[in-house]
C-alpha cells in the first residue's frame, strides 16, 4: 500500500515470467510499435512518447539533459524531497537554480510562480512535481503551465506519481515535458521511465548543449522511427506495458482515475475517524500522508504494521521521518486491501496508545472506509 | 541462441513473477546486502560493485562520466560497432578521442596499444570491449591492461558480453573498470547494468569533472553503504540476481565458463563441417560469428531459421548485415537447443543451396556438435 512500487496485477506477473524473446525480432518490433502508438494518449499529447530503461529518476535526468544548456537559469519549485533532488540534478548539469520552497505539506501557488517569473525574465526552465510523493502534495500544474507558457521558460513536470493516475493533459495544459515511471500508475515493477516533450521543447532540444548519450532523445526518436529502441530493450517489461496500455484503453483511463480518487477519499475519511490529519494541505489523489499523532513513533508504527499485520505502507523521509505515514492509491488495490490497511493501522495505534485509539474509533474508521469504497 | 538477451532459467522466470515487494523494506534491504556482497567476486575484485537500473549501455555511460573530464584524451580501441559507439559516447561527453580501428574480425593487438600509448603520453583513458559482440572478437584484455597500467591512463572495459562468462579478474589483471549487463552471462532479462572501479579509478572519480547524477557512483556508493539503492530498485530483478549469484557460488563460476567454452567449441566444429568459417580471427567464447557463404543471403537465412524452425540467432549489424550470422553461448542453453540450432542451420542452408549443403554435410555437422558437447 505504498506510493510505488504499487501492487502489480496477476496478468502482469504472468507476462513477466514468459520465456525470453529477443528485442531485435519482428515479433518484439510489433509489440514496440503498438506500445509507442498507445503511450502518447496517456500523456494527452500528439507528440511521440519515449521509453528509457531506467528508474523514474533517470527520466528526470532525460528531461533535463535534453533541454538544458550549462549556465541556463532554472526556476525550481520545491514542495519536498523529490523537488529538492531535481534541483540538485539541474545544478549537477550546470544550471543556475533559483528555488521557491514551500512550507512542508503546502503546494506551490501560481502567485509564487508568477512573481518569480516576473522578477527574472531569464528563466529557461521551470521544474515542478505534479505530485510531490514525499509529502503527498498536489501542485497546480495547469495554472503553473499557463503562466509559464507566457515566458520563454519550458515547464518540465515530474509526473512519476501522477501520469495516468489523474488528468494532466500535456498539450491542452501547455506542459513542455512530462516524466512518468513504470512502478506507479502503470502497475509494473520499477525499471522503465516514460517521457514526452512538447513541440516547443523539441526546438530547445536541437540547441541544448548539455552532454548526453544514454538519454539522448534525438537518438531514441530516430531509433523508434526505424522500429527499434536505441539500446537493448527489456522485452518482458515492454510486453507487460503493452498489456497495461490495452487495459487502460479497454476500461478507459477515467475509470482508473476514479478508482484512485475513491481510494484517496476512503483513506482521508478513515483517517479523520481515527483522528489522523492529512499532512498535505493540498493532498494528491495518488498518495495520502497522514500526520502521526503526538506520542506515537511513526517508524515503530510503520514497522509494526509490517511485522504484525503484513501491511506495507511508507513512512516519512528525511526530516519527515517518524512524523508521517504514507498510503498509496495506485496499482492493483482491491477494497479488501484498503480495509485491511485501515484495520491494521487502527489496531496498531490502539496497541501503542490504547487510551486514545479505542475499538470504537477503529470500527468507525473501517466503516467510513467501507462506505466510501461503496 | 543470440548473444543476449540469453535464455533465462525457469527459476528466474518464477522469481520475476512473484508478487511485488517494496524496495525500502528490511526484507529487500537484506537481499540487496547479500547481492552487493556477492557481486564483486564475479568481477574478481576487492572493490565494491554497483548496480544501475539501465541497459549495458547505461553502464558504459557510467564508466565514462565517473572518470572523464571534458577535454581528456581518450584512446579508443575499436573492433566493431560497440567500440565505435563507446568512442562516440566519449566524444559526446567532451573527450578528445584517438581511434585504433582493426580490420573487421580482428582483435586489437597489444603492440598497437603500446605504440599508441608511447606516441602520446596524454591519454587519460583507454576504452576496449572484452568481447566485441558485433564481430565475436575477443580482445587481449590482460595484455592491454598490463601496458596501460604503466601509464596514467585508466583502462575501462566493456565486459557486457564477457563478465562472468570467461575469466577476467579485474584486480589481478589491473583493469580499472569493468561493465556488465544483466541479459548476458547473468541470465536475466535486460534492465540492470553492473560496474566496478579500481582503487586507481576511485582517485580519478573524485576529481573527474564530467557532469553526472543518475550514474554518479559516489552517490550510489553512499546509498549502498547505508543499505539502500540511490534510486528506486527493480525488486524482482535484484531478487532474481540474488538467485543467479547463489547458483554461481554453488556450482562454481568455472563450471559455467567451461559450459560457455564447450558450446563455442561445438559451434565452431559444426560450422567447420558445414563449411562455414569463423568470421572472427580471434573468436570469443561467448558468441560465434560464422561467415555466410557466397550466394546465400544472410538476412534470409536468419529469418528462415526463425520462421520455419523457431530458432532465433542474430545476423550481422550495419556493414556486416547479411554477411555473418551470430550464435550466442551464454545463458540457460541445453545440449538439445544447440543441436536443434545446428540442424536448423544445416536444413535452411540446404533449402537455399542444395548443391552445396547436402544431407551428408548436415549429418556430419550435427554429429560434430554432439561429440563436442559430450
Amino acid at each position: 500500500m505504498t506510493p510505488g512500487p504499487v501492487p502489480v496485477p496477476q496478468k502482469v506477473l504472468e507476462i513477466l515470467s514468459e520465456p525470453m524473446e529477443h528485442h531485435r525480432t519482428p515479433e518484439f518490433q510489433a509489440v514496440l510499435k503498438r506500445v509507442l502508438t498507445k503511450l502518447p494518449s496517456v500523456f494527452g499529447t500528439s507528440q511521440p512518447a519515449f521509453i528509457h530503461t531506467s528508474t523514474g529518476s533517470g527520466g528526470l535526468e532525460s528531461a533535463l539533459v535534453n533541454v538544458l544548456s550549462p549556465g541556463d537559469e532554472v526556476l525550481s519549485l520545491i514542495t519536498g524531497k523529490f523537488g529538492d533532488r531535481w534541483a540538485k540534478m539541474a545544478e549537477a548539469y550546470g544550471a543556475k537554480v533559483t528555488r521557491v520552497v514551500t512550507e512542508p505539506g503546502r503546494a506551490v501557488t501560481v502567485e509564487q510562480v508568477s512573481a518569480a517569473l516576473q522578477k527574472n525574465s531569464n528563466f529557461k526552465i521551470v521544474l515542478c512535481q505534479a505530485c510531490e510523493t514525499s509529502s503527498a502534495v498536489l501542485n497546480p500544474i495547469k495554472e503553473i503551465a499557463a503562466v509559464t507558457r507566457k515566458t520563454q521558460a519550458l515547464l518540465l513536470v515530474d509526473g512519476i506519481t501522477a501520469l495516468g493516475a489523474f488528468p494532466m493533459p500535456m498539450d491542452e495544459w501547455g506542459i513542455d515535458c512530462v516524466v512518468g515511471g513504470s512502478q506507479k500508475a502503470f502497475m509494473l515493477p520499477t525499471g522503465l521511465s516514460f517521457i514526452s516533450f512538447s513541440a516547443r521543447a523539441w526546438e530547445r532540444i536541437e540547441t541544448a548543449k548539455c552532454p548526453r548519450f544514454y538519454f539522448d532523445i534525438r537518438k531514441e526518436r530516430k531509433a523508434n522511427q526505424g522500429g527499434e529502441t536505441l539500446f537493448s530493450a527489456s522485452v518482458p517489461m515492454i510486453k507487460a506495458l503493452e498489456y497495461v496500455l490495452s487495459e487502460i484503453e479497454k476500461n478507459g483511463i477515467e475509470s482508473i482515475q476514479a478508482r484512485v480518487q475513491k481510494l484517496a477519499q476512503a483513506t482521508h475519511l478513515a483517517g479523520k475517524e481515527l483522528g489522523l490529519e492529512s499532512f498535505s494541505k493540498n493532498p494528491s489523489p495518488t498518495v495520502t500522508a497522514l500526520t502521526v499523532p503526538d506520542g506515537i513513533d511513526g517508524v515503530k508504527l510503520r514497522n509494526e504494521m509490517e511485522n504484525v499485520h503484513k501491511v506495507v505502507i511508507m513512512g516519512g523521509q528525511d526530516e519527515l521521518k517518524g512524523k508521517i505515514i504514507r498510503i498509496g492509491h495506485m496499482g492493483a488495490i482491491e477494497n479488501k486491501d484498503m480495509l485491511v490497511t485501515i484495520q491494521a493501522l487502527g489496531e496498531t495505534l490502539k496497541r501503542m496508545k490504547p487510551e486514545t485509539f479505542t475499538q470504537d474509533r477503529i470500527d468507525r474508521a473501517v466503516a467510513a472506509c467501507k462506505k466510501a469504497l461503496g
Side-chain angles (χ1 to χ4, degrees), chain A:
Chain A
M1 299 294 291
T2 74
V6 304
V8 168
Q10 186 55 36
K11 177 74 186 165
V12 166
L13 294 175
E14 283 169 32
I15 294 171
L16 292 177
S17 71
E18 287 172 7
M20 281 297 292
E21 278 171 31
H22 196 274
H23 57 278
R24 304 281 183 232
T25 56
E27 292 74 26
F28 178 69
Q29 287 181 347
V31 172
L32 180 68
K33 196 177 166 186
R34 290 193 294 271
V35 163
L36 293 176
T37 304
K38 284 177 183 166
L39 196 52
S41 73
V42 182
F43 287 81
T45 184
S46 60
Q47 294 293 324
F50 303 92
I51 303 169
H52 292 302
T53 302
S54 76
T55 69
S57 299
L60 297 180
E61 179 149 316
S62 173
L64 273 177
V65 299
N66 279 297
V67 299
L68 183 74
S69 295
D72 275 359
E73 292 212 39
V74 169
L75 177 63
S76 193
L77 310 176
I78 299 176
T79 48
K81 175 193 161 104
F82 291 100
D84 185 54
R85 179 188 268 181
W86 211 10
K88 285 182 181 144
M89 193 188 273
E91 283 172 336
Y93 283 94
K96 203 180 144 201
V97 174
T98 300
R99 287 165 165 80
V100 170
V101 184
T102 66
E103 201 183 305
R106 294 242 176 236
V108 68
T109 65
V110 69
E111 290 75 19
Q112 287 176 297
V113 182
S114 281
L117 289 172
Q118 271 167 19
K119 202 170 153 190
N120 182 347
S121 61
N122 291 324
F123 289 120
K124 295 281 180 61
I125 290 168
V126 176
L127 301 178
C128 191
Q129 271 58 39
C131 163
E132 167 59 55
T133 321
S134 69
S135 57
V137 160
L138 181 73
N139 285 306
I141 295 299
K142 186 180 181 180
E143 291 73 19
I144 293 170
V147 296
T148 306
R149 212 17 104 87
K150 290 180 194 150
T151 72
Q152 63 168 340
L154 299 176
L155 175 62
L156 314 186
V157 171
D158 170 353
I160 295 172
T161 312
L163 183 65
F166 54 77
M168 187 168 64
M170 209 178 128
D171 288 357
E172 193 188 318
W173 288 7
I175 306 169
D176 294 299
C177 175
V178 172
V179 176
S182 54
Q183 77 278 26
K184 305 280 181 165
F186 290 89
M187 304 184 286
L188 300 172
T190 300
L192 301 180
S193 64
F194 311 120
I195 192 165
S196 185
F197 292 93
S198 69
R200 211 165 79 116
W202 272 103
E203 288 171 27
R204 190 76 64 84
I205 286 168
E206 301 302 335
T207 59
K209 292 195 172 50
C210 226
R212 59 202 125 135
F213 198 96
Y214 187 68
F215 292 119
D216 191 334
I217 213 72
R218 297 163 299 182
K219 289 193 176 69
E220 190 70 52
R221 180 172 63 171
K222 205 176 150 197
N224 287 176
Q225 284 167 345
E228 299 197 334
T229 50
L230 178 55
F231 303 111
S232 307
S234 175
V235 174
M237 286 286 279
I238 292 180
K239 279 169 64 187
L241 175 61
E242 187 190 13
Y243 166 75
V244 170
L245 291 173
S246 311
E247 285 295 293
I248 290 176
E249 205 171 63
K250 204 170 76 188
N251 303 322
I253 199 160
E254 300 76 15
S255 82
I256 293 166
Q257 295 175 347
R259 176 72 186 163
V260 171
Q261 276 281 5
K262 188 177 267 188
L263 288 166
Q265 201 183 2
T267 306
H268 279 274
L269 291 172
K272 209 172 210 171
E273 291 296 344
L274 280 174
L276 304 189
E277 270 183 50
S278 170
F279 175 75
S280 171
K281 304 294 171 267
N282 309 87
S284 167
T286 47
V287 53
T288 297
L290 297 172
T291 305
V292 172
D294 286 341
I296 301 263
D297 174 355
V299 175
K300 202 177 152 201
L301 171 64
R302 197 210 145 277
N303 289 346
E304 283 236 351
M305 281 183 69
E306 181 171 348
N307 296 333
V308 180
H309 301 275
K310 309 291 169 209
V311 173
V312 179
I313 60 168
M314 279 291 107
Q317 295 162 298
D318 301 337
E319 67 281 1
L320 291 176
K321 197 164 184 168
K323 296 183 183 162
I324 60 170
I325 51 171
R326 293 176 299 144
I327 297 171
H329 311 307
M330 296 170 293
I333 299 172
E334 296 180 22
N335 284 357
K336 70 168 167 36
D337 302 326
M338 189 70 243
L339 290 166
V340 164
T341 302
I342 297 301
Q343 186 82 39
L345 174 60
E347 286 177 18
T348 308
L349 286 166
K350 189 181 162 197
R351 277 197 307 279
M352 293 173 85
K353 208 176 173 185
E355 64 282 13
T356 309
F357 298 97
T358 59
Q359 189 58 46
D360 181 53
R361 261 200 193 196
I362 300 171
D363 294 344
R364 274 188 285 129
V366 172
C369 181
K370 207 167 196 167
K371 196 180 160 198
L373 292 172

